[in-house]
Amino acid sequence: MIEIIVNDRLGKKVRVKCMPEDTIGDLKKLIAAQTGTKPEKIILKKWYSTYKDHITLDDYEIHDGMNLEMYYS
């Protein structure tokens, strides 16, 4: 189990526990459950890379304690 920190730079900073085998779409659902935002409105980025929903966290090399940026569409 890994913990990922998601920050939207507007005051919401969320810690999410998930498995490395989970997809980005699964992570968005976990974030949505904590923030109350719809998962399809959440965009996850790291610098200029936008993460796609169907790829796993392990494939993106997202590890324990990593920070991601959250944007809204």
Side-chain angles (χ1 to χ4, degrees):
M1 178 140 315
I2 61 173
E3 184 176 67
I4 298 169
I5 300 146
V6 183
N7 192 349
D8 71 350
R9 308 274 185 220
L10 297 172
K12 281 188 188 169
K13 193 171 188 180
V14 181
R15 293 177 177 264
V16 182
K17 291 192 181 287
C18 56
M19 300 301 287
E21 302 83 34
D22 291 345
T23 63
I24 295 292
D26 296 335
L27 178 60
K28 286 182 181 182
K29 289 176 189 171
L30 293 170
I31 294 167
Q34 288 190 20
T35 62
T37 308
K38 293 183 179 179
E40 53 271 4
K41 295 283 186 187
I42 296 173
I43 300 169
L44 295 176
K45 291 185 177 184
K46 182 73 174 178
W47 289 91
Y48 295 105
S49 302
T50 302
Y51 295 123
K52 308 285 184 199
D53 285 354
H54 64 282
I55 300 176
T56 65
L57 303 176
D58 219 9
D59 290 340
Y60 274 127
E61 297 180 1
I62 295 174
H63 49 79
D64 190 32
M66 193 164 174
N67 292 303
L68 297 178
E69 301 161 6
M70 179 169 58
Y71 297 93
Y72 305 104
S73 61

